[in-house]
Amino acid sequence: MKWVEIITLRSPSNINTQFVDELLKEVGKSDTSKHLVDIRIYHHSVVETDLSIHIYWKSEPGSQHKTPLGLKFSYALRNLG
């Protein structure tokens, strides 16, 4: 089954996209799973302080819940918004 884990961030100021890109590289390297398909970052076209990280997975039904990788992203980004 394919599924997506979404982390949404609304920051009070502009988001340092270079920081987010580096964070994704580091966190993605440290905990890659055989079920991980792709990670994509989306920026809102109008609201510059909105960011959404989509983590695409493929796994067995019933295993769709918060993942260690998603929790690491959330923890790393929590000070931004």
Side-chain angles (χ1 to χ4, degrees):
M1 169 184 273
K2 295 179 184 178
W3 60 284
V4 64
E5 184 173 15
I6 300 172
I7 300 164
T8 304
L9 173 69
R10 175 161 283 170
S11 178
S13 60
N14 284 343
I15 298 169
N16 181 343
T17 55
Q18 184 178 1
F19 168 75
V20 174
D21 290 341
E22 291 298 319
L23 174 69
L24 287 173
K25 287 178 190 174
E26 291 304 313
V27 173
K29 278 191 245 180
S30 68
D31 192 8
T32 55
S33 170
K34 64 179 182 175
H35 301 293
L36 177 65
V37 175
D38 194 14
I39 300 174
R40 296 184 185 183
I41 303 173
Y42 296 96
H43 298 275
H44 196 283
S45 62
V46 177
V47 184
E48 295 178 4
T49 59
D50 280 10
L51 175 78
S52 185
I53 299 172
H54 294 204
I55 307 170
Y56 295 90
W57 300 94
K58 185 173 183 177
S59 63
E60 297 300 318
S63 63
Q64 299 82 27
H65 48 79
K66 294 179 181 178
T67 65
L69 181 60
L71 292 171
K72 284 182 182 179
F73 280 129
S74 294
Y75 181 77
L77 294 171
R78 70 181 179 164
N79 291 330
L80 299 178

mmCIF file of all heavy atoms in Angstrom, residues 30-69:
data_model
loop_
_atom_site.group_PDB
_atom_site.id
_atom_site.type_symbol
_atom_site.label_atom_id
_atom_site.label_comp_id
_atom_site.label_asym_id
_atom_site.label_seq_id
_atom_site.Cartn_x
_atom_site.Cartn_y
_atom_site.Cartn_z
ATOM 1 N N SER A 30 20.433 9.556 7.476
ATOM 2 C CA SER A 30 20.626 8.850 8.731
ATOM 3 C C SER A 30 19.623 7.724 8.973
ATOM 4 O O SER A 30 19.910 6.795 9.695
ATOM 5 C CB SER A 30 20.574 9.837 9.899
ATOM 6 O OG SER A 30 19.265 10.342 10.035
ATOM 7 N N ASP A 31 18.457 7.805 8.381
ATOM 8 C CA ASP A 31 17.421 6.819 8.712
ATOM 9 C C ASP A 31 16.620 6.429 7.474
ATOM 10 O O ASP A 31 15.415 6.589 7.444
ATOM 11 C CB ASP A 31 16.503 7.396 9.790
ATOM 12 C CG ASP A 31 15.587 6.344 10.394
ATOM 13 O OD1 ASP A 31 15.776 5.153 10.086
ATOM 14 O OD2 ASP A 31 14.703 6.716 11.161
ATOM 15 N N THR A 32 17.294 5.937 6.468
ATOM 16 C CA THR A 32 16.560 5.514 5.279
ATOM 17 C C THR A 32 15.969 4.136 5.526
ATOM 18 O O THR A 32 16.599 3.260 6.091
ATOM 19 C CB THR A 32 17.462 5.490 4.039
ATOM 20 O OG1 THR A 32 18.585 4.657 4.312
ATOM 21 C CG2 THR A 32 17.922 6.879 3.666
ATOM 22 N N SER A 33 14.751 3.977 5.128
ATOM 23 C CA SER A 33 14.024 2.739 5.338
ATOM 24 C C SER A 33 13.770 2.086 3.992
ATOM 25 O O SER A 33 13.660 2.759 2.967
ATOM 26 C CB SER A 33 12.695 3.050 6.024
ATOM 27 O OG SER A 33 11.867 1.918 6.033
ATOM 28 N N LYS A 34 13.646 0.776 4.008
ATOM 29 C CA LYS A 34 13.350 0.080 2.758
ATOM 30 C C LYS A 34 11.954 0.416 2.241
ATOM 31 O O LYS A 34 11.661 0.197 1.084
ATOM 32 C CB LYS A 34 13.506 -1.428 2.931
ATOM 33 C CG LYS A 34 12.524 -2.036 3.904
ATOM 34 C CD LYS A 34 12.725 -3.515 4.014
ATOM 35 C CE LYS A 34 11.680 -4.100 4.960
ATOM 36 N NZ LYS A 34 11.776 -5.546 5.002
ATOM 37 N N HIS A 35 11.111 0.978 3.096
ATOM 38 C CA HIS A 35 9.753 1.346 2.696
ATOM 39 C C HIS A 35 9.649 2.784 2.204
ATOM 40 O O HIS A 35 8.606 3.184 1.705
ATOM 41 C CB HIS A 35 8.779 1.133 3.856
ATOM 42 C CG HIS A 35 8.742 -0.275 4.349
ATOM 43 N ND1 HIS A 35 8.257 -1.316 3.594
ATOM 44 C CD2 HIS A 35 9.154 -0.826 5.514
ATOM 45 C CE1 HIS A 35 8.357 -2.438 4.274
ATOM 46 N NE2 HIS A 35 8.907 -2.168 5.449
ATOM 47 N N LEU A 36 10.717 3.570 2.364
ATOM 48 C CA LEU A 36 10.714 4.964 1.924
ATOM 49 C C LEU A 36 10.776 5.029 0.399
ATOM 50 O O LEU A 36 11.630 4.406 -0.217
ATOM 51 C CB LEU A 36 11.915 5.704 2.524
ATOM 52 C CG LEU A 36 12.094 7.157 2.115
ATOM 53 C CD1 LEU A 36 10.933 8.009 2.613
ATOM 54 C CD2 LEU A 36 13.410 7.682 2.658
ATOM 55 N N VAL A 37 9.859 5.799 -0.206
ATOM 56 C CA VAL A 37 9.811 5.938 -1.656
ATOM 57 C C VAL A 37 10.406 7.270 -2.082
ATOM 58 O O VAL A 37 11.267 7.316 -2.966
ATOM 59 C CB VAL A 37 8.357 5.808 -2.180
ATOM 60 C CG1 VAL A 37 8.288 6.068 -3.670
ATOM 61 C CG2 VAL A 37 7.793 4.441 -1.827
ATOM 62 N N ASP A 38 9.970 8.378 -1.444
ATOM 63 C CA ASP A 38 10.409 9.709 -1.871
ATOM 64 C C ASP A 38 10.117 10.721 -0.775
ATOM 65 O O ASP A 38 9.244 10.504 0.065
ATOM 66 C CB ASP A 38 9.660 10.104 -3.152
ATOM 67 C CG ASP A 38 10.256 11.287 -3.877
ATOM 68 O OD1 ASP A 38 11.404 11.662 -3.569
ATOM 69 O OD2 ASP A 38 9.574 11.833 -4.762
ATOM 70 N N ILE A 39 10.860 11.827 -0.799
ATOM 71 C CA ILE A 39 10.603 12.956 0.094
ATOM 72 C C ILE A 39 10.534 14.203 -0.778
ATOM 73 O O ILE A 39 11.438 14.446 -1.580
ATOM 74 C CB ILE A 39 11.718 13.131 1.146
ATOM 75 C CG1 ILE A 39 11.842 11.891 2.017
ATOM 76 C CG2 ILE A 39 11.441 14.370 2.010
ATOM 77 C CD1 ILE A 39 13.009 11.917 2.977
ATOM 78 N N ARG A 40 9.483 14.982 -0.618
ATOM 79 C CA ARG A 40 9.306 16.209 -1.402
ATOM 80 C C ARG A 40 8.958 17.368 -0.486
ATOM 81 O O ARG A 40 8.238 17.201 0.493
ATOM 82 C CB ARG A 40 8.201 16.038 -2.435
ATOM 83 C CG ARG A 40 8.525 14.988 -3.459
ATOM 84 C CD ARG A 40 7.478 14.900 -4.497
ATOM 85 N NE ARG A 40 7.776 13.795 -5.411
ATOM 86 C CZ ARG A 40 7.062 13.517 -6.461
ATOM 87 N NH1 ARG A 40 5.994 14.234 -6.744
ATOM 88 N NH2 ARG A 40 7.395 12.513 -7.232
ATOM 89 N N ILE A 41 9.466 18.550 -0.848
ATOM 90 C CA ILE A 41 9.167 19.772 -0.103
ATOM 91 C C ILE A 41 8.307 20.665 -0.981
ATOM 92 O O ILE A 41 8.622 20.870 -2.158
ATOM 93 C CB ILE A 41 10.450 20.537 0.253
ATOM 94 C CG1 ILE A 41 11.407 19.661 1.037
ATOM 95 C CG2 ILE A 41 10.128 21.793 1.036
ATOM 96 C CD1 ILE A 41 12.750 20.318 1.271
ATOM 97 N N TYR A 42 7.266 21.213 -0.395
ATOM 98 C CA TYR A 42 6.390 22.140 -1.117
ATOM 99 C C TYR A 42 6.340 23.462 -0.361
ATOM 100 O O TYR A 42 6.215 23.477 0.863
ATOM 101 C CB TYR A 42 4.972 21.563 -1.228
ATOM 102 C CG TYR A 42 4.912 20.305 -2.048
ATOM 103 C CD1 TYR A 42 4.947 19.051 -1.423
ATOM 104 C CD2 TYR A 42 4.837 20.344 -3.432
ATOM 105 C CE1 TYR A 42 4.897 17.883 -2.172
ATOM 106 C CE2 TYR A 42 4.789 19.183 -4.186
ATOM 107 C CZ TYR A 42 4.823 17.954 -3.544
ATOM 108 O OH TYR A 42 4.782 16.799 -4.280
ATOM 109 N N HIS A 43 6.454 24.547 -1.111
ATOM 110 C CA HIS A 43 6.312 25.894 -0.557
ATOM 111 C C HIS A 43 5.011 26.469 -1.085
ATOM 112 O O HIS A 43 4.692 26.308 -2.265
ATOM 113 C CB HIS A 43 7.473 26.799 -1.001
ATOM 114 C CG HIS A 43 8.798 26.319 -0.520
ATOM 115 N ND1 HIS A 43 9.288 26.623 0.717
ATOM 116 C CD2 HIS A 43 9.735 25.539 -1.118
ATOM 117 C CE1 HIS A 43 10.467 26.066 0.870
ATOM 118 N NE2 HIS A 43 10.758 25.391 -0.227
ATOM 119 N N HIS A 44 4.280 27.153 -0.216
ATOM 120 C CA HIS A 44 3.021 27.770 -0.624
ATOM 121 C C HIS A 44 3.323 28.876 -1.628
ATOM 122 O O HIS A 44 4.273 29.634 -1.468
ATOM 123 C CB HIS A 44 2.302 28.337 0.605
ATOM 124 C CG HIS A 44 0.873 28.648 0.360
ATOM 125 N ND1 HIS A 44 0.472 29.762 -0.320
ATOM 126 C CD2 HIS A 44 -0.245 27.968 0.699
ATOM 127 C CE1 HIS A 44 -0.841 29.784 -0.390
ATOM 128 N NE2 HIS A 44 -1.296 28.692 0.226
ATOM 129 N N SER A 45 2.532 28.966 -2.673
ATOM 130 C CA SER A 45 2.791 29.949 -3.736
ATOM 131 C C SER A 45 2.500 31.380 -3.312
ATOM 132 O O SER A 45 3.064 32.313 -3.873
ATOM 133 C CB SER A 45 1.961 29.616 -4.978
ATOM 134 O OG SER A 45 0.586 29.687 -4.675
ATOM 135 N N VAL A 46 1.662 31.579 -2.308
ATOM 136 C CA VAL A 46 1.303 32.924 -1.867
ATOM 137 C C VAL A 46 1.869 33.225 -0.476
ATOM 138 O O VAL A 46 2.421 34.288 -0.240
ATOM 139 C CB VAL A 46 -0.236 33.108 -1.869
ATOM 140 C CG1 VAL A 46 -0.609 34.478 -1.353
ATOM 141 C CG2 VAL A 46 -0.793 32.887 -3.269
ATOM 142 N N VAL A 47 1.741 32.280 0.435
ATOM 143 C CA VAL A 47 2.183 32.474 1.811
ATOM 144 C C VAL A 47 3.612 31.930 1.926
ATOM 145 O O VAL A 47 3.825 30.729 2.030
ATOM 146 C CB VAL A 47 1.253 31.759 2.814
ATOM 147 C CG1 VAL A 47 1.680 32.048 4.241
ATOM 148 C CG2 VAL A 47 -0.189 32.181 2.588
ATOM 149 N N GLU A 48 4.591 32.832 1.912
ATOM 150 C CA GLU A 48 5.999 32.432 1.878
ATOM 151 C C GLU A 48 6.452 31.710 3.140
ATOM 152 O O GLU A 48 7.489 31.056 3.142
ATOM 153 C CB GLU A 48 6.882 33.646 1.637
ATOM 154 C CG GLU A 48 6.686 34.283 0.284
ATOM 155 C CD GLU A 48 7.539 35.524 0.100
ATOM 156 O OE1 GLU A 48 8.345 35.847 1.005
ATOM 157 O OE2 GLU A 48 7.392 36.171 -0.937
ATOM 158 N N THR A 49 5.693 31.829 4.206
ATOM 159 C CA THR A 49 6.095 31.214 5.476
ATOM 160 C C THR A 49 5.488 29.822 5.677
ATOM 161 O O THR A 49 5.658 29.230 6.733
ATOM 162 C CB THR A 49 5.708 32.126 6.652
ATOM 163 O OG1 THR A 49 4.295 32.327 6.626
ATOM 164 C CG2 THR A 49 6.430 33.452 6.576
ATOM 165 N N ASP A 50 4.785 29.302 4.683
ATOM 166 C CA ASP A 50 4.197 27.965 4.760
ATOM 167 C C ASP A 50 5.059 26.958 4.010
ATOM 168 O O ASP A 50 5.492 27.205 2.893
ATOM 169 C CB ASP A 50 2.793 27.948 4.164
ATOM 170 C CG ASP A 50 1.753 28.482 5.116
ATOM 171 O OD1 ASP A 50 2.132 29.035 6.161
ATOM 172 O OD2 ASP A 50 0.557 28.348 4.805
ATOM 173 N N LEU A 51 5.271 25.817 4.648
ATOM 174 C CA LEU A 51 6.099 24.761 4.078
ATOM 175 C C LEU A 51 5.432 23.428 4.383
ATOM 176 O O LEU A 51 4.860 23.235 5.458
ATOM 177 C CB LEU A 51 7.488 24.801 4.731
ATOM 178 C CG LEU A 51 8.474 23.725 4.384
ATOM 179 C CD1 LEU A 51 9.077 24.036 3.017
ATOM 180 C CD2 LEU A 51 9.578 23.662 5.409
ATOM 181 N N SER A 52 5.507 22.504 3.447
ATOM 182 C CA SER A 52 4.942 21.180 3.655
ATOM 183 C C SER A 52 5.945 20.137 3.166
ATOM 184 O O SER A 52 6.438 20.222 2.049
ATOM 185 C CB SER A 52 3.628 21.057 2.886
ATOM 186 O OG SER A 52 3.007 19.830 3.156
ATOM 187 N N ILE A 53 6.251 19.174 4.015
ATOM 188 C CA ILE A 53 7.153 18.077 3.660
ATOM 189 C C ILE A 53 6.303 16.825 3.526
ATOM 190 O O ILE A 53 5.577 16.449 4.450
ATOM 191 C CB ILE A 53 8.239 17.870 4.738
ATOM 192 C CG1 ILE A 53 9.087 19.129 4.879
ATOM 193 C CG2 ILE A 53 9.102 16.668 4.393
ATOM 194 C CD1 ILE A 53 10.058 19.095 6.043
ATOM 195 N N HIS A 54 6.384 16.192 2.359
ATOM 196 C CA HIS A 54 5.632 14.971 2.103
ATOM 197 C C HIS A 54 6.614 13.808 2.023
ATOM 198 O O HIS A 54 7.536 13.829 1.209
ATOM 199 C CB HIS A 54 4.849 15.073 0.800
ATOM 200 C CG HIS A 54 3.761 16.097 0.851
ATOM 201 N ND1 HIS A 54 2.659 16.041 0.041
ATOM 202 C CD2 HIS A 54 3.584 17.203 1.620
ATOM 203 C CE1 HIS A 54 1.854 17.067 0.304
ATOM 204 N NE2 HIS A 54 2.406 17.784 1.258
ATOM 205 N N ILE A 55 6.402 12.813 2.860
ATOM 206 C CA ILE A 55 7.243 11.628 2.878
ATOM 207 C C ILE A 55 6.392 10.475 2.342
ATOM 208 O O ILE A 55 5.382 10.115 2.938
ATOM 209 C CB ILE A 55 7.742 11.305 4.301
ATOM 210 C CG1 ILE A 55 8.412 12.526 4.926
ATOM 211 C CG2 ILE A 55 8.706 10.121 4.259
ATOM 212 C CD1 ILE A 55 8.731 12.381 6.395
ATOM 213 N N TYR A 56 6.791 9.935 1.206
ATOM 214 C CA TYR A 56 6.031 8.885 0.541
ATOM 215 C C TYR A 56 6.577 7.514 0.932
ATOM 216 O O TYR A 56 7.777 7.272 0.882
ATOM 217 C CB TYR A 56 6.094 9.063 -0.982
ATOM 218 C CG TYR A 56 5.434 10.329 -1.437
ATOM 219 C CD1 TYR A 56 6.151 11.515 -1.551
ATOM 220 C CD2 TYR A 56 4.076 10.371 -1.732
ATOM 221 C CE1 TYR A 56 5.539 12.692 -1.948
ATOM 222 C CE2 TYR A 56 3.453 11.537 -2.138
ATOM 223 C CZ TYR A 56 4.194 12.696 -2.240
ATOM 224 O OH TYR A 56 3.587 13.863 -2.632
ATOM 225 N N TRP A 57 5.662 6.626 1.325
ATOM 226 C CA TRP A 57 6.012 5.292 1.799
ATOM 227 C C TRP A 57 5.267 4.227 1.008
ATOM 228 O O TRP A 57 4.213 4.481 0.431
ATOM 229 C CB TRP A 57 5.622 5.126 3.266
ATOM 230 C CG TRP A 57 6.267 6.086 4.197
ATOM 231 C CD1 TRP A 57 5.755 7.282 4.636
ATOM 232 C CD2 TRP A 57 7.543 5.962 4.819
ATOM 233 N NE1 TRP A 57 6.635 7.890 5.493
ATOM 234 C CE2 TRP A 57 7.750 7.098 5.622
ATOM 235 C CE3 TRP A 57 8.547 4.989 4.783
ATOM 236 C CZ2 TRP A 57 8.895 7.288 6.377
ATOM 237 C CZ3 TRP A 57 9.688 5.179 5.534
ATOM 238 C CH2 TRP A 57 9.852 6.315 6.317
ATOM 239 N N LYS A 58 5.806 3.029 1.038
ATOM 240 C CA LYS A 58 5.099 1.853 0.513
ATOM 241 C C LYS A 58 5.316 0.741 1.523
ATOM 242 O O LYS A 58 6.453 0.312 1.758
ATOM 243 C CB LYS A 58 5.640 1.448 -0.854
ATOM 244 C CG LYS A 58 4.852 0.324 -1.484
ATOM 245 C CD LYS A 58 5.292 0.053 -2.891
ATOM 246 C CE LYS A 58 4.386 -1.037 -3.475
ATOM 247 N NZ LYS A 58 4.723 -1.287 -4.870
ATOM 248 N N SER A 59 4.236 0.307 2.165
ATOM 249 C CA SER A 59 4.343 -0.716 3.196
ATOM 250 C C SER A 59 3.040 -1.502 3.290
ATOM 251 O O SER A 59 2.081 -1.227 2.587
ATOM 252 C CB SER A 59 4.690 -0.082 4.539
ATOM 253 O OG SER A 59 3.667 0.788 4.960
ATOM 254 N N GLU A 60 3.028 -2.444 4.203
ATOM 255 C CA GLU A 60 1.857 -3.295 4.401
ATOM 256 C C GLU A 60 0.702 -2.491 5.006
ATOM 257 O O GLU A 60 0.934 -1.560 5.772
ATOM 258 C CB GLU A 60 2.215 -4.450 5.336
ATOM 259 C CG GLU A 60 3.282 -5.368 4.789
ATOM 260 C CD GLU A 60 2.881 -6.012 3.488
ATOM 261 O OE1 GLU A 60 1.710 -6.451 3.362
ATOM 262 O OE2 GLU A 60 3.720 -6.095 2.581
ATOM 263 N N PRO A 61 -0.539 -2.852 4.678
ATOM 264 C CA PRO A 61 -1.683 -2.178 5.290
ATOM 265 C C PRO A 61 -1.637 -2.303 6.812
ATOM 266 O O PRO A 61 -1.190 -3.310 7.347
ATOM 267 C CB PRO A 61 -2.885 -2.945 4.727
ATOM 268 C CG PRO A 61 -2.387 -3.564 3.467
ATOM 269 C CD PRO A 61 -0.927 -3.859 3.707
ATOM 270 N N GLY A 62 -2.053 -1.248 7.481
ATOM 271 C CA GLY A 62 -2.085 -1.243 8.928
ATOM 272 C C GLY A 62 -0.833 -0.681 9.575
ATOM 273 O O GLY A 62 -0.783 -0.506 10.776
ATOM 274 N N SER A 63 0.194 -0.374 8.782
ATOM 275 C CA SER A 63 1.436 0.150 9.358
ATOM 276 C C SER A 63 1.602 1.647 9.091
ATOM 277 O O SER A 63 2.700 2.160 9.163
ATOM 278 C CB SER A 63 2.633 -0.628 8.806
ATOM 279 O OG SER A 63 2.731 -0.446 7.411
ATOM 280 N N GLN A 64 0.512 2.325 8.780
ATOM 281 C CA GLN A 64 0.570 3.748 8.478
ATOM 282 C C GLN A 64 0.352 4.560 9.750
ATOM 283 O O GLN A 64 -0.774 4.767 10.166
ATOM 284 C CB GLN A 64 -0.479 4.144 7.426
ATOM 285 C CG GLN A 64 -0.315 3.468 6.101
ATOM 286 C CD GLN A 64 -0.909 2.081 6.077
ATOM 287 O OE1 GLN A 64 -1.826 1.790 6.804
ATOM 288 N NE2 GLN A 64 -0.367 1.215 5.260
ATOM 289 N N HIS A 65 1.428 4.995 10.352
ATOM 290 C CA HIS A 65 1.368 5.818 11.553
ATOM 291 C C HIS A 65 2.598 6.709 11.565
ATOM 292 O O HIS A 65 3.392 6.693 10.627
ATOM 293 C CB HIS A 65 1.298 4.950 12.812
ATOM 294 C CG HIS A 65 2.312 3.859 12.829
ATOM 295 N ND1 HIS A 65 3.625 4.061 13.158
ATOM 296 C CD2 HIS A 65 2.203 2.548 12.506
ATOM 297 C CE1 HIS A 65 4.289 2.919 13.064
ATOM 298 N NE2 HIS A 65 3.457 1.984 12.663
ATOM 299 N N LYS A 66 2.772 7.488 12.585
ATOM 300 C CA LYS A 66 3.935 8.375 12.656
ATOM 301 C C LYS A 66 5.209 7.538 12.620
ATOM 302 O O LYS A 66 5.359 6.587 13.377
ATOM 303 C CB LYS A 66 3.895 9.207 13.933
ATOM 304 C CG LYS A 66 2.750 10.182 13.962
ATOM 305 C CD LYS A 66 2.742 10.948 15.259
ATOM 306 C CE LYS A 66 1.561 11.908 15.293
ATOM 307 N NZ LYS A 66 1.492 12.638 16.551
ATOM 308 N N THR A 67 6.108 7.922 11.723
ATOM 309 C CA THR A 67 7.351 7.171 11.568
ATOM 310 C C THR A 67 8.491 7.863 12.303
ATOM 311 O O THR A 67 8.426 9.069 12.559
ATOM 312 C CB THR A 67 7.725 7.049 10.082
ATOM 313 O OG1 THR A 67 8.000 8.362 9.570
ATOM 314 C CG2 THR A 67 6.606 6.394 9.278
ATOM 315 N N PRO A 68 9.551 7.133 12.630
ATOM 316 C CA PRO A 68 10.713 7.769 13.252
ATOM 317 C C PRO A 68 11.293 8.891 12.375
ATOM 318 O O PRO A 68 11.701 9.930 12.897
ATOM 319 C CB PRO A 68 11.705 6.614 13.408
ATOM 320 C CG PRO A 68 10.856 5.400 13.494
ATOM 321 C CD PRO A 68 9.681 5.677 12.585
ATOM 322 N N LEU A 69 11.291 8.700 11.067
ATOM 323 C CA LEU A 69 11.808 9.729 10.165
ATOM 324 C C LEU A 69 10.938 10.984 10.227
ATOM 325 O O LEU A 69 11.442 12.105 10.336
ATOM 326 C CB LEU A 69 11.874 9.197 8.736
ATOM 327 C CG LEU A 69 12.406 10.142 7.674
ATOM 328 C CD1 LEU A 69 13.841 10.569 7.995
ATOM 329 C CD2 LEU A 69 12.348 9.487 6.306
#
